[in-house]
Amino acid sequence: MKEKGFTLLELLVAMALLLSVLGVAFTYFQATLDSTRRAQAKSELQDRVRMVMQVVAGDLQMAGARYWTQGATSLGFTLVGALSGTDGGVKDTLTVRYVTSLRDQNSACRRVDYGFNGDTLMRSDVNITPSSGTDCQEGDPSLQPLAEGILALDLQYLCSNGVAQNTPDCGPSAYPRSARVSVAGYSLSVFASRSNDRVRSGSNSQTLTTVTGQTLACPAGRICYALTQEVLMPNLKPVQ
């Protein structure tokens, strides 16, 4: 009895089908892996931008606070220059001075500075209180990296006279009531570009626009994200 086997043509067809199936499976798993990496990068980026916004907003809210309270003791410190900064386009600098009751009297006065080193946002928080007395003396800022991949820290100040300024100088007859803050960043990982990778405040957008109306270009192959928030600064109101 003659045994039957596969012909060469049948083997070639089977191999072709197998390779097709493997190719589809590889493409599927590659796309799934890429989507997972993108989702992780977007989540990390959004967390990083939100963290920067939270830290900056917290410092701005404290700007000008000059009372220190611990138990029954309450002291009013003397602050010189509660808020200052420069307009650096989309990369502004900022200096905030305030008194916090979360530290002891000798370290109650804080000076917080923000600046950029390339696309790395830098921050300094130093003690400016002398060993005795209630005069907040100057300290030397020591800027340290806060967050990488930050395209913008753009601030617009709303003065008590209704004027919007790109610096906190509202003139002799007004003071900054609030600040509109834009923080924009990009993913630290590089991907093949997609149209929906540039997101602003969680929605798809082809461009990133800061609070002062400036448009940012998202670096090629990066995922971008931006937030804008208004921060009240109640401690800057002059004491009557």
Side-chain angles (χ1 to χ4, degrees):
M1 183 175 179
K2 187 177 180 180
E3 294 182 359
K4 293 184 178 181
F6 293 104
T7 65
L8 179 60
L9 179 60
E10 290 173 332
L11 288 174
L12 291 175
V13 170
M15 290 177 62
L17 290 174
L18 177 61
L19 289 175
S20 297
V21 171
L22 291 176
V24 171
F26 177 80
T27 302
Y28 170 78
F29 287 117
Q30 188 71 20
T32 301
L33 178 61
D34 182 66
S35 296
T36 300
R37 291 179 62 239
R38 286 173 180 270
Q40 291 174 343
K42 284 184 179 181
S43 177
E44 185 277 332
L45 168 61
Q46 291 171 359
D47 288 344
R48 181 157 32 94
V49 170
R50 288 167 181 159
M51 178 273 293
V52 170
M53 178 66 79
Q54 184 177 14
V55 174
V56 173
D59 288 330
L60 285 171
Q61 287 172 340
M62 290 295 295
R66 63 187 188 90
Y67 290 101
W68 178 83
T69 302
Q70 194 169 84
T73 304
S74 181
L75 299 173
F77 283 75
T78 301
L79 281 173
V80 178
L83 181 65
S84 60
T86 62
D87 180 13
V90 294
K91 292 182 176 180
D92 294 347
T93 66
L94 176 66
T95 298
V96 178
R97 297 174 179 87
Y98 62 85
V99 174
T100 175
S101 298
L102 298 178
R103 298 176 182 260
D104 60 41
Q105 182 179 343
N106 291 334
S107 58
C109 289
R110 313 305 302 172
R111 170 177 171 167
V112 179
D113 291 83
Y114 289 90
F116 277 89
N117 181 7
D119 288 341
T120 299
L121 180 63
M122 312 289 286
R123 181 179 184 268
S124 171
D125 182 356
V126 297
N127 173 21
I128 59 173
T129 306
S131 58
S132 63
T134 56
D135 290 331
C136 293
Q137 304 295 325
E138 274 302 311
D140 295 323
S142 177
L143 291 172
Q144 302 295 326
L146 176 64
E148 296 180 276
I150 300 299
L151 285 171
L153 173 61
D154 195 16
L155 297 104
Q156 184 181 70
Y157 303 90
L158 303 181
C159 301
S160 58
N161 58 5
V163 176
Q165 298 277 121
N166 289 346
T167 63
D169 183 11
C170 291
S173 59
Y175 62 92
R177 280 183 172 171
S178 64
R180 293 172 179 164
V181 185
S182 287
V183 178
Y186 57 83
S187 64
L188 302 181
S189 302
V190 181
F191 302 92
S193 297
R194 289 181 179 178
S195 61
N196 66 343
D197 283 342
R198 297 175 176 84
V199 294
R200 182 178 187 274
S201 300
S203 60
N204 293 339
S205 175
Q206 294 297 319
T207 60
L208 296 171
T209 305
T210 69
V211 69
T212 58
Q214 302 186 65
T215 301
L216 296 171
C218 187
R222 308 283 185 167
I223 302 170
C224 291
Y225 183 74
L227 285 177
T228 295
Q229 177 178 325
E230 184 170 356
V231 181
L232 298 178
M233 298 183 290
N235 298 303
L236 295 179
K237 184 176 181 179
V239 179
Q240 302 296 329

